[in-house]
Amino acid sequence: MSETRGLTCIRCPRGCQLVATIEDESVTAVTGNACPRGAAYAADEVCHPMRCVTTTVVVDGSPLDAVVSVRTAGDVPREKVTDVVRALSDVRLTSPVHVGDLVLADVCGTGVNVVATREA
């Protein structure tokens, strides 16, 4: 038995409205996409959704602010997002912090690093 799922593609600025047909937990067809990236996005989002995580961490000794914004340098599995945020809640950096500085390597065993996104 097949089911369908509606998605809005985020791979390019067009925001195509996709309809993915799912059979046996895999995408068998995608309609509504204006480019091949839409079909790949639908398959990824249905079968193995990934997310970029952004948050803040505490900075000790910063003359500007008490926190700095950070993000994962790549996508992590959606089911790990809460674990990533929890791991970062215990991180404390020491000023100065620069854009691109490594904040946490291989966060939660995902193989993805967390980096600073602004100065502090």
Side-chain angles (χ1 to χ4, degrees):
M1 184 166 135
S2 67
E3 64 177 284
T4 60
R5 182 170 164 194
L7 302 160
T8 301
C9 183
I10 59 170
R11 292 278 165 96
C12 77
R14 292 181 109 162
C16 294
Q17 297 302 303
L18 310 175
V19 176
T21 302
I22 306 159
E23 294 180 20
D24 297 323
E25 298 184 26
S26 60
V27 175
T28 58
V30 176
T31 59
N33 54 306
C35 69
R37 291 180 287 180
Y41 170 76
D44 290 345
E45 184 63 16
V46 168
C47 299
H48 190 62
M50 303 287 279
R51 299 290 184 266
C52 179
V53 178
T54 60
T55 189
T56 58
V57 297
V58 174
V59 179
D60 294 325
S62 171
L64 302 173
D65 290 311
V67 296
V68 66
S69 57
V70 299
R71 70 168 175 81
T72 52
D75 292 337
V76 298
R78 184 177 66 192
E79 64 271 11
K80 293 268 190 175
V81 169
T82 302
D83 296 335
V84 169
V85 173
R86 281 188 189 128
L88 288 166
S89 71
D90 295 331
V91 172
R92 292 185 79 92
L93 301 175
T94 302
S95 185
V97 177
H98 303 286
V99 173
D101 281 358
L102 179 65
V103 174
L104 189 59
D106 186 24
V107 65
C108 297
T110 61
V112 176
N113 295 332
V114 177
V115 296
T117 59
R118 73 177 186 85
E119 307 284 319

